[in-house]
Structure formats: C-alpha cells, structure tokens
Amino acid sequence: MQFRRRSLGAAALICALVPASAMAQTTPPRGPDEGKGPFNKLVIRGVNVIDGSGGTVQGPRDIVIENNRITEIRSAGTPGLPMNPNRAPFDADHEVDATGMWVMPGLVDEHVHAAQGGSPLTYAYKLWLAHGVTTVRGVNLTNNTAAVRDKAASERNEIVAPRIINYQRPGSGWSGGSPNTPEKAREWVRWASVNGVDGIKFAGTGVDQDKRVLEAMIDEASKLGLGTTMHHSPPVYPEVNALETGRMGLGTVTHFYGHFESILKDGRTHPYPDDYNYSDEQSRWRHVAKVIDYTFEPRSPEWWAYLNEQKANGVTFGPTMSVYEAGRDLMRARTQEWHRLYATPGIWKFWEPNRNNHGSFYYDWTTADEVSWKRFMARYMMLVNDYKSIGGRVAGGTDAGFIYSLYGFAQIRELELMQEAGFTPHQAITAFTRDAAKTLMEPKGITDPEFGMVRVGQIADLVIAPENPLANFKTLYGTGTGRLNDATGKIERVGGVRWTVRNGVVYDAKQLLADVKAIVDAEKAAGGCAGIDLNWSAAGPCGTPPADTPPFPTPTPTPTVVPEPTVVAGPPGPPGPAGPA
C-alpha cells in the first residue's frame, strides 16, 4: 500500500508518504516493567523446537541464551516420558518455564507501514510483538528521521519494538530536489545509503514511473548494498512489468501487481472500460482482478517461463494476501472479532468507506466484485505456490493498517493464507522467518543472517506459544481460538502467543495486548468515537458491548389473541401423608 492521498499534488508527494501525525511522534522509552532482560544467562525450559528450516520438530529442549545470543540447545528428556530433573545449566539469572510449549523463530515481515489513522508507532510495535513479529521491513514505516531513530533505539532495547529495516520512497528525507533524472536519482540513492536508509520502495507512480530513473536507482542501490522492492502500480505498466524489473535487478516484487502483466497474451495491460480511472480506487480494485481473463493459462509454457526467469533473476515474491482479503469477502474482513478490542477509533475511521483514504474503496462493493476477486485470489495463490515449488523465494509480508487488516493479527492470517495457497505449515513458517530474513539481509552482502532461525549463534528472537502452531495457526492469534471442552461441554478460548523474545528481552504477550487495549480505551475516552455511525460500524471498537452484531430495528409487535386453555380434571390421586397432630 501507499500512504499517498490521491488529492495531493506531486510537489507534496514526499511529505504525504506518512500521516502527518507520524511526523512528530516520539516513541516512549521502554519502562521498567516492560519486558525482562536481557540476562547474562536466560534458560527457556522444556520446549518443542520449530527451528525455521522446514525440518522436523525436536523436543523437549532447553534453550540457553546469553545476553541476546542462543548459546546452547540442550536435550531435556524423551517425548512421552517425564523430563530429566535438575537439568543444567544451574547458573541462570532467569528461567522461563515453557514445559510442553512450542518455540519458533520470531516472524520477519517484508512489508509493513505504521501510524495509519493517526495511531502511535508504539501501537503497531506492541501488536507486532504480541504476535511474535520481531523484525519488520518498513516500506516505509514512517518518515526517515523517525525510522532511523527507532531502528537504533530498538537495537539498544530502549523501546518496545521489533527490529526495524528502513526502506524509503525515492527522494524521501532529501533536500536536493526531486530525483527525476537518472543522475539525480543516483545522487539520492548515494545520500540515502549514508543516512540510515536500508533500501528503496518503488511504486511506479512518482519519479519512478520513468523507466530510466527506476533503472538508475535499482542499479545504484545494488552497488551500494541497498535493497529494493516494488509495488508495480498500473500507471507504470507501459514502462515496465515485474519481469522487466526483475531483469534490472529488483529484489522483491511485493503484492500481485506486475506478475500477471508479465504473462499477458497481448499488450502491456489488460483492457479497461472507457470510464476506468486509476484514481477512483473502487474502479481500480474492481478491474485489477479481471486481468486473469487475458493471461496465458496456469501451468502453460508461458507461466513456467515467467516463474523460472524470475527465479534466475533472484527475485523474491512478497504476496501480502491478507491485506486484500476484503476484496473477496468484505463482511469477513470488517467483522473480525479482534477489531472491537484492539482497533483504535482512528484506524477504524480510516478503514471505513471513504474517497480520500487509500484502500477504503468499497463504496458499493458487490457480490460480482467478490466473485471476481475469489477467482483472482485463487489464481494468484497458484502462482505464488508454483514459484515456491520450483525453488523461488517467497517471503512473508502483510501491508497491514489498511482495508480492515490489523497489525499483528494480519501476520497470523497471512500464515493461514499461505497454507490455503498450498504451503505446508513448515513452509509457511520458513517463508515468514528464515527466507524473509535472507531477503532483508542479502542486499547487504549477508547470506547467512543472524536472525530468522532457532539455532546456536543466532540472535534470540523467538515466539513461545502453548499450542502447536503447525497443527493450527489460529492458535497464534492474540484472541486465541475456540475449542470445545468435552468435559464441561463449553467452548473455551485456547492459544495466543505466551512470550515473545526480542533481542534477548522476554516480553509477556498478554501484557502487550493489555497495553494496546489501554491505548484504544484512552482514545475512546478522549472522544475518538465521535462521528462513527454505529449502525454501520458496530463491529468496530465503538460498538456498545456486549452486542456483537449491528443493532436491528425492533418491529412493533402485532397483538395476538391467545385463547384461554381448557382445563380438564384428572383422576383423583392417592391420599397424602397425615400432617402433624
């Protein structure tokens, strides 16, 4: 997604990349009760290990962490038998009793933004950590100054936040004027490389709509160790598609844009109706799904040729399926149960149908639109899964903060959608951990990242959960999932991340969610719900508890005459016992 408001002129583009509220935000320092550690020696006891490689689970294990590094992974016993008592090491400063729980690498998200709806950065940070997200690639997260500040503070454990990889849009943060020529473009990339920028996010709607500028930036970024990712917006199709930017050396194709345009039977874009207007977002989203009617068929020679060439180009696919789910089922996206507790009124207002806010496009979304998007998403999932199957890299990403997709919860939904696409649970986790970490670090020349796996020598970025995520990703949602207790006959909530370890600091995931709830409640108490139509928005944070569905008008009852019942005497009963004398 892009932060740009459609009504803004080109001169205001760079300032509009993030909400104005984010420009002046200061992330609060980590408090004394926020997280424990890092410790000289921390031991996590008795866990089953999903290491992120895609291999088999091993457990029970004790994980030894010194400062922020995993130094040992020790056997704690044999499955099905009592764990060995009195296990070394005996000199830990802190222990986490995770007996019988599951540990996996912290999730690594290749595509995030923050501060939508005026929400504070710490709101997104805590939702991410509460769901085990320990690294994010902001594209962009916020303005460069704030991103560089929080990136450094996170590495020092001074704020409660995941690791931040800072990507910016062309020209962002620079006082040298618009980088609208190849020479100026290279100059901005050189400036970015020494001003805290890790990579560049292209969209093809600004100076990067010019193929010469785009190619110059990709080339210069590659020389200087900066990564590149691109949302191939439709205005850029006359210039380039995803295959052509892959040949230029682009690192990641994020979203679905540009893929299908690379396998069209004819032309550089599919036909649009005469009244199509890219700036009308409902029109844009309505017609983007129709591209599959004009491409070569799945598994055709052209399909495989595209995928094989992108693999040879070293391109990563970042699907971000969860943010587009409203296209195929708007009601599902709007009524997810966590919105009532954890969506701020501001972000809810941003999401509701609105011609100004990016992504709030469903002004009159129809059954036909959803059917079209169901077909499109099925084809897109097939493309992504086939790329994975031939050895192409797919990295987990979400683009949450738009279209009823909430930070943290979106990462878990993306895991589910990867499984729907054909990934095994192990493959989905690998895409969201090891492979995403490689995508973020390889531009820097680092082929073996120090995060993204549960291995000795790795940074301690971990997710600890009481339920097996391989059996059910739903158990990772902060709200858990329902399970019938046969002993009581009642449905119970189970799951949720229990602890997230980020850079050696142990965070209580439940407390992080309570902190987020406090942010939501404070905004509501300050009048944040003003102007929200509760007849339409009862599923959001301002609906009146305990109602779970929108209120329905109560019809005036029609009087009904009920006849008096006919009383029929029965036979006499036996005499009762004698009373007291």
Side-chain angles (χ1 to χ4, degrees), residues 4-329:
R4 183 172 60 89
R5 296 289 183 90
R6 296 181 301 281
S7 59
L8 293 170
L13 177 60
I14 299 304
C15 292
L17 295 176
V18 294
S21 59
M23 302 294 283
Q25 281 193 27
T26 300
T27 302
R30 177 183 157 211
D33 59 342
E34 293 187 299
K36 297 179 180 179
F39 299 96
N40 290 330
K41 185 170 287 187
L42 163 69
V43 182
I44 300 169
R45 297 285 189 184
V47 289
N48 300 296
V49 178
I50 304 167
D51 70 4
S53 70
T56 58
V57 174
Q58 297 187 63
R61 295 288 187 267
D62 291 341
I63 300 175
V64 182
I65 299 165
E66 297 182 18
N67 295 309
N68 70 338
R69 296 276 174 178
I70 299 172
T71 56
E72 290 183 272
I73 300 177
R74 306 167 62 97
S75 175
T78 301
L81 297 176
M83 291 193 194
N84 300 332
N86 303 316
R87 303 188 302 273
F90 304 107
D91 57 345
D93 301 290
H94 186 75
E95 294 195 358
V96 173
D97 182 4
T99 301
M101 295 189 183
W102 304 78
V103 66
M104 67 182 202
L107 298 179
V108 179
D109 193 311
E110 67 87 19
H111 189 129
V112 307
H113 305 283
Q116 291 310 103
S119 57
L121 293 171
T122 192
Y123 168 74
Y125 294 164
K126 289 189 174 184
L127 277 171
W128 284 325
L129 287 172
H131 288 87
V133 182
T134 55
T135 301
V136 295
R137 175 165 71 174
V139 291
N140 54 358
L141 177 77
T142 181
N143 67 84
N144 191 53
T145 300
V148 170
R149 176 200 68 207
D150 281 6
K151 174 184 173 182
S154 175
E155 289 307 299
R156 297 190 297 264
N157 292 323
E158 293 174 354
I159 60 174
V160 180
R163 174 183 296 101
I164 294 168
I165 308 298
N166 175 32
Y167 278 45
Q168 293 291 330
R169 292 284 301 277
S172 179
W174 192 41
S175 60
S178 176
N180 55 7
T181 67
E183 295 75 20
K184 294 285 283 186
R186 290 181 184 276
E187 186 180 348
W188 176 79
V189 174
R190 290 191 290 270
W191 174 91
S193 71
V194 294
N195 280 275
V197 177
D198 297 306
I200 309 168
K201 158 69 178 301
F202 302 110
T205 54
V207 297
D208 51 358
Q209 192 172 341
D210 184 325
K211 180 179 180 179
R212 300 168 307 143
V213 169
L214 177 62
E215 190 166 19
M217 284 192 173
I218 292 174
D219 180 64
E220 195 69 19
S222 178
K223 292 175 181 177
L224 298 175
L226 270 64
T228 52
T229 184
M230 187 164 183
H231 169 158
H232 293 74
S233 298
V236 84
Y237 295 157
E239 295 279 329
V240 292
N241 57 38
L243 182 59
E244 291 160 339
T245 53
R247 291 168 179 165
M248 292 178 185
L250 182 74
T252 302
V253 176
T254 192
H255 309 317
F256 50 78
Y257 298 99
H259 289 303
F260 293 110
E261 288 70 23
S262 301
I263 52 173
L264 286 170
K265 292 179 181 178
D266 183 52
R268 298 197 60 85
T269 187
H270 71 281
Y272 293 109
D274 292 340
D275 62 350
Y276 173 81
N277 185 338
Y278 173 77
S279 295
D280 178 340
E281 291 208 344
Q282 182 167 263
S283 177
R284 184 197 311 179
W285 261 277
R286 175 167 288 152
H287 293 290
V288 73
K290 301 181 188 303
V291 66
I292 61 172
D293 294 327
Y294 302 92
T295 66
F296 290 101
E297 292 300 310
R299 281 70 185 273
S300 64
E302 293 82 1
W303 174 282
W304 291 118
Y306 170 67
L307 295 179
N308 279 299
E309 185 169 347
Q310 290 293 60
K311 178 186 173 185
N313 292 334
V315 172
T316 295
F317 286 8
T320 68
M321 294 177 284
S322 53
V323 75
Y324 296 111
E325 198 160 23
R328 68 175 187 171
D329 192 344

Side-chain angles (χ1 to χ4, degrees), residues 458-522:
Q458 290 263 299
I459 291 175
D461 287 352
L462 307 171
V463 187
I464 305 171
E467 299 281 333
N468 180 2
L470 296 169
N472 187 0
F473 283 135
K474 293 184 189 299
T475 61
L476 293 175
Y477 283 122
T479 48
T481 190
R483 181 179 295 160
L484 182 67
N485 184 327
D486 286 321
T488 64
K490 295 181 179 180
I491 195 79
E492 297 176 347
R493 286 191 183 272
V494 299
V497 174
R498 184 63 191 86
W499 294 283
T500 297
V501 182
R502 157 68 185 125
N503 202 30
V505 176
V506 182
Y507 290 101
D508 183 327
K510 305 299 184 185
Q511 182 58 53
L512 290 169
L513 287 172
D515 294 346
V516 170
K517 178 69 164 49
I519 292 172
V520 173
D521 290 344

Side-chain angles (χ1 to χ4, degrees), residues 334-386:
R334 289 190 70 253
T335 58
Q336 293 169 120
E337 62 181 358
W338 44 81
H339 291 334
R340 293 177 61 79
L341 291 175
Y342 301 115
T344 64
I347 205 168
W348 186 264
K349 290 177 184 178
F350 181 85
W351 289 339
E352 291 287 61
N354 188 307
R355 291 187 181 274
N356 281 326
N357 296 340
H358 177 55
S360 303
F361 58 82
Y362 24 84
Y363 323 133
D364 185 20
W365 203 243
T366 68
T367 300
D369 292 326
E370 292 192 352
V371 170
S372 178
W373 265 82
K374 284 181 172 73
R375 292 179 60 242
F376 175 73
M377 288 299 291
R379 183 74 60 87
Y380 180 42
M381 287 180 172
M382 186 183 298
L383 185 87
V384 171
N385 189 57
D386 281 353

